[in-house]
Amino acid sequence: MSTEHSLLAVLSFWPSSGYDIKSEFEHKAAGLYWGMSYGSIYPKLKKLEEEGYVYSMEKEENGRNKKLYELTEKGWQEFEEWLCTPPAYPAVKDELFMKMSTWHKDMDTRHLISHLEKRKRESEDILGFVKEWPRNGISYVSSIGMLTIRYAEMRLETELRWIDESISILKAGELPEGQDPTGAEKKLLSRRRESLGLKSEDE
């Protein structure tokens, strides 16, 4: 999903300012759908306007002029063509998973438990937001959009169960047996200890 198509998607709801769009990309559940830096919004809006996908207009609000962007005919056509194009499979970028996948025996698992507990608090907070989202009396949520909200709920609920299970396993020291056909872990620890000037397990 390109940044430009994300912007067209938000503008399909209603004419919006750059700040309005920023708010859509920064609410608590935004990371479940898209990720975008605030700095990229205005250059992309300018590009879309130059290419004829959107146009800007001034609207007075609370005594101040506000610049809004709206889709052109070309913009609607591009947006709806994008809707009908099969989506790419999502690329997951999760720092917690990367850390867990590369954790080793010389590391204290209390740090990992702390990471999981922090993630649990964050996921519980986002889950509360997601459940309230279609009932907050403010947001526009379509009938089809409700299906994505249900997915977000199920994903977060599953994650919370996984976190509780993982913490219990770590605290009990009952980790499942992994797979290491080439002795990678022993070599990893040996390289680490040699580099840090530490004694190996054999010494």
Side-chain angles (χ1 to χ4, degrees):
M1 178 171 62
S2 71
T3 300
E4 288 84 355
H5 286 120
S6 299
L7 293 172
L8 294 178
V10 172
L11 289 174
S12 74
F13 295 150
W14 42 66
S16 305
S17 67
Y19 180 80
D20 295 332
I21 296 171
K22 172 180 179 288
S23 298
E24 285 292 329
F25 286 109
E26 289 187 342
H27 65 64
K28 285 184 180 180
L32 300 175
Y33 293 79
W34 47 54
M36 184 189 302
S37 67
Y38 177 52
S40 70
I41 292 176
Y42 285 104
K44 296 296 186 182
L45 283 171
K46 183 179 179 182
K47 178 185 175 186
L48 287 170
E49 186 170 18
E50 289 173 349
E51 294 178 352
Y53 293 103
V54 305
Y55 67 92
S56 59
M57 55 187 170
E58 296 287 334
K59 179 184 178 183
E60 187 175 328
E61 190 173 287
N62 299 324
R64 299 178 64 181
N65 283 339
K66 188 176 183 180
K67 187 176 184 179
L68 301 179
Y69 293 89
E70 170 64 299
L71 299 178
T72 63
E73 179 183 355
K74 182 180 178 182
W76 280 107
Q77 290 171 345
E78 176 65 26
F79 165 62
E80 289 168 8
E81 183 178 331
W82 170 73
L83 286 179
C84 294
T85 302
Y89 196 82
V92 177
K93 180 183 177 182
D94 195 317
E95 186 178 354
L96 175 61
F97 287 177
M98 179 59 77
K99 288 184 176 182
M100 292 182 72
S101 298
T102 55
W103 207 266
H104 57 76
K105 287 183 177 178
D106 282 357
M107 295 293 296
D108 190 334
T109 55
R110 286 178 297 182
H111 294 298
L112 183 52
I113 291 170
S114 177
H115 294 342
L116 287 162
E117 288 172 341
K118 177 178 180 292
R119 178 66 162 263
K120 180 178 180 178
R121 292 191 297 271
E122 293 167 340
S123 295
E124 287 174 335
D125 187 39
I126 296 171
L127 178 58
F129 175 88
V130 167
K131 287 186 172 181
E132 182 61 25
W133 195 355
R135 297 186 292 272
N136 63 16
I138 301 170
S139 303
Y140 163 62
V141 182
S142 70
S143 297
I144 297 294
M146 285 295 294
L147 299 179
T148 69
I149 286 178
R150 179 59 185 143
Y151 167 77
E153 287 182 6
M154 294 175 70
R155 173 181 165 183
L156 289 163
E157 288 165 352
T158 299
E159 179 171 283
L160 287 168
R161 289 196 296 273
W162 167 77
I163 289 172
D164 284 340
E165 179 182 294
S166 298
I167 290 174
S168 295
I169 288 171
L170 287 165
K171 286 184 174 179
E174 297 175 350
L175 290 168
E177 187 175 344
Q179 174 179 270
D180 189 4
T182 62
E185 183 175 53
K186 186 175 181 179
K187 294 171 186 175
L188 180 157
L189 294 174
S190 177
R191 287 169 36 237
R192 173 187 179 271
R193 292 164 184 168
E194 182 179 355
S195 178
L196 297 176
L198 302 173
K199 290 183 178 181
S200 68
E201 284 184 323
D202 300 330
E203 293 179 328

